[in-house]
């Protein structure tokens, strides 16, 4: 049975800790709830915003529509054999709780994605990734309900059209599906451990740890805690911008002036460059303007020190965009969803 509340403060539901209100708000805990909601007049007459952990969005003002909090929970084993296990997790399950479930059971694949804020449902939405692993490599299917008809559709991995921080759910099917669960396949033995990201190997060496699912997860947690602000303490939404890709020729021309510029070759003579480095070169790292700012340890993360508004963050982001464009002729794209 669904309950629709009015004029709800969204402060507890977004990790940027922006004080904005939803005209209507409801929480959905079952697919049946969702189908009931689809026939409700408030749903039919207003725009909707589906919310998971609220960890990848910037609310720039009150939301004059219906916010639907995805609270579908549970982790179940779909199938297993000697070497792999396939798990289905409810979209409202916190991502990190799922990772810990896997680490505790020695299921391999998600350990590099430890401590990422947000929910299971948001993971395929933006193809979360960190330390050399992207969730697209583990996802088998995504189960989602059509937000107009209430029909369930099972998306294969290919149908999700995953890219770097991209999927079909963020692009052509935006707002058309409510992700209800995600099915992932993990290893039970012969784990493929990924320690290629420099800081992981360094942390394991410092701790004199042998690479294992548990030691990698612990190393990633330690690295994230050092570099990234805890949203429970300082409002933020992780990386605010995506890492841009530029032509090899532009990369080489910038490198003449900045020989230490990092870059990773991707497809078609393109180079991915860290937006954090570009932003730091423009002098933004650690800068504070009123109650918002750029994190002192990672320039890609914008923070709300307390009473910053969505507009304050947006205006800071625009100033950063303009200065990166001016200095390097590179256009940054936001990674967070601006609402
Ligand atoms: N760098 C700087 N200054 C900074 C930040 C970074 O010079 O202020 C340089 C670093 O020295 C390094 C390079 O940029 O050479 C890359 O930095 P880092 O390893 O911290 O990763 P990132 O590219 O800034 C990406 C993801 C993160 C993810 C890390 C680790 C994006 C948009 N961000 O950040 O994801 O945790 O790699 O894999 O791709 C997120 O999406 O919210 C997120 C935190």
């Amino acid at each position: 049975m669904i309950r629709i509340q009015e004029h709800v403060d969204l402060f507890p539901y977004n990790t940027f800790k922006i004080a904005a209100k939803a005209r209507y708000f409801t929480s959905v805990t079952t697919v049946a709830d969702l189908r009931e909601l689809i026939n409700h007049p408030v749903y039919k007459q207003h725009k909707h915003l589906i919310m998971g952990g609220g960890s990848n969005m910037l609310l720039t003002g009150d939301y004059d529509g219906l916010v639907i909090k995805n609270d579908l929970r549970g982790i179940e084993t779909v199938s297993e054999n000697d070497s792999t296990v396939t798990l289905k997790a409810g979209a409202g399950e916190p991502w990190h709780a799922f990772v810990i479930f896997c680490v505790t059971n020695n299921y391999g694949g998600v350990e590099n994605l430890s401590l990422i804020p947000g929910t299971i449902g948001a993971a395929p939405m933006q193809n979360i990734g960190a330390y050399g692993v992207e969730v697209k490599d583990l996802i088998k299917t995504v189960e989602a309900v059509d937000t107009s008809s209430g029909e369930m559709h099972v998306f294969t991995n290919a149908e999700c059209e995953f890219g770097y921080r991209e999927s079909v759910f963020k692009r052509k099917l935006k707002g058309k599906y409510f992700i209800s669960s995600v099915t992932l396949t993990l290893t039970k033995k012969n784990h493929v451990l990924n320690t290629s990201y420099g800081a992981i190997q360094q942390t394991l060496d410092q701790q004199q740890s042998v690479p294992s699912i548990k030691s990698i997860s612990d190393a990633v947690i330690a690295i994230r805690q050092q570099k990234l602000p805890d949203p429970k303490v300082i409002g933020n939404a992780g990386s605010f911008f995506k890492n841009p890709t530029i032509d090899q020729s532009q990369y080489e021309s910038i490198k003449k002036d900045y020989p230490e510029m990092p870059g990773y070759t991707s497809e078609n003579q393109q180079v991915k460059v860290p937006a954090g480095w570009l932003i730091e070169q423009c002098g933004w790292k650690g800068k504070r303007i009123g109650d918002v700012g750029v994190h002192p340890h990672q320039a890609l993360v914008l923070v709300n020190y307390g009473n910053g508004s969505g507009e304050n963050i947006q205006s800071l982001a625009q100033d950063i965009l303009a200065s990166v464009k001016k200095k390097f002729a590179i256009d940054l794209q936001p990674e967070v969803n601006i609402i």
Side-chain angles (χ1 to χ4, degrees):
M1 181 75 185
I2 52 154
R3 191 167 74 97
I4 296 180
Q5 296 169 264
E6 292 189 51
H7 306 291
V8 172
D9 192 352
L10 296 174
F11 178 84
Y13 301 108
N14 75 98
T15 62
F16 245 130
K17 295 292 172 212
I18 302 292
K21 281 196 161 46
R23 177 68 184 84
Y24 298 98
F25 180 92
T26 193
S27 156
V28 170
T29 56
T30 63
V31 169
D33 274 358
L34 183 64
R35 291 190 173 132
E36 185 190 332
L37 182 66
I38 287 172
N39 291 310
H40 196 287
V42 168
Y43 181 90
K44 287 187 176 163
Q45 287 158 18
H46 297 86
K47 61 177 180 174
H48 336 113
L49 171 65
I50 301 169
M51 218 178 202
S55 59
N56 202 42
M57 59 166 59
L58 176 67
L59 296 160
T60 52
D62 290 342
Y63 188 72
D64 190 24
L66 170 65
V67 171
I68 307 167
K69 174 95 170 61
N70 186 335
D71 272 329
L72 274 75
R73 303 295 284 264
I75 302 174
E76 60 178 279
T77 303
V78 177
S79 63
E80 66 183 310
N81 56 34
D82 272 3
S83 43
T84 63
V85 60
T86 297
L87 302 174
K88 184 173 182 172
E93 200 63 47
W95 172 261
H96 183 63
F98 174 75
V99 172
I100 293 304
F101 174 86
C102 295
V103 171
T104 310
N105 285 286
N106 200 36
Y107 296 156
V110 282
E111 56 282 356
N112 292 49
L113 304 177
S114 296
L115 212 61
I116 295 186
T119 54
I120 285 278
M125 180 73 78
Q126 74 219 49
N127 180 24
I128 56 170
Y131 312 109
V133 173
E134 284 184 317
V135 79
K136 74 172 171 55
D137 303 329
L138 307 155
I139 289 179
K140 197 167 172 233
T141 57
V142 173
E143 298 72 42
V145 177
D146 185 319
T147 52
S148 324
S149 68
E151 271 172 43
M152 176 73 81
H153 184 85
V154 180
F155 290 83
T156 61
N157 182 299
E159 283 173 333
C160 295
E161 296 177 18
F162 290 122
Y164 166 60
R165 297 294 193 274
E166 281 297 348
S167 75
V168 75
F169 306 107
K170 253 180 105 169
R171 287 184 172 263
K172 64 178 186 235
L173 297 183
K174 190 172 177 179
K176 295 203 163 31
Y177 282 90
F178 178 99
I179 296 175
S180 52
S181 60
V182 179
T183 301
L184 307 98
T185 299
L186 299 135
T187 51
K188 282 171 70 179
K189 60 181 187 190
N190 303 328
H191 304 301
V192 184
L193 302 176
N194 188 331
T195 57
S196 59
Y197 184 88
I200 293 189
Q201 194 56 58
Q202 276 164 27
T203 310
L204 291 176
D205 291 347
Q206 275 161 17
Q207 296 171 348
Q208 298 188 324
S209 302
V210 179
S212 69
I213 285 168
K214 173 84 172 77
S215 66
I216 291 180
S217 171
D218 289 345
V220 167
I221 290 172
I223 297 165
R224 289 189 79 96
Q225 282 174 340
Q226 260 169 33
K227 267 199 179 178
L228 299 167
D230 179 352
K232 288 195 193 88
V233 184
I234 300 177
N236 77 90
S239 304
F240 193 90
F241 300 101
K242 291 186 197 179
N243 286 335
T245 31
I246 59 174
D247 290 342
Q248 182 81 34
S249 55
Q250 187 181 9
Y251 178 68
E252 271 153 27
S253 127
I254 300 175
K255 231 174 146 61
K256 279 189 198 130
D257 294 327
Y258 301 89
E260 75 295 353
M261 180 191 195
Y264 319 93
T265 309
S266 61
E267 296 130 38
N268 312 327
Q269 294 287 301
Q270 297 270 299
V271 181
K272 192 183 266 189
V273 289
W277 183 87
L278 297 168
I279 297 167
E280 181 173 350
Q281 295 306 310
C282 294
W284 287 102
K285 197 170 184 170
K287 257 209 178 148
R288 179 170 175 163
I289 297 153
D291 242 8
V292 301
V294 178
H295 190 57
H297 300 155
Q298 166 51 291
L300 195 46
V301 179
L302 306 190
V303 293
N304 176 9
Y305 286 105
N307 296 317
S309 67
E311 281 163 339
N312 296 151
I313 298 274
Q314 201 177 20
S315 135
L316 172 64
Q318 269 155 6
D319 290 347
I320 292 172
L321 277 178
S323 67
V324 169
K325 174 85 173 166
K326 191 164 174 226
K327 195 173 176 88
F328 296 106
I330 295 176
D331 289 304
L332 293 182
Q333 305 287 339
E335 204 248 299
V336 300
N337 298 310
I338 297 173
I339 312 289

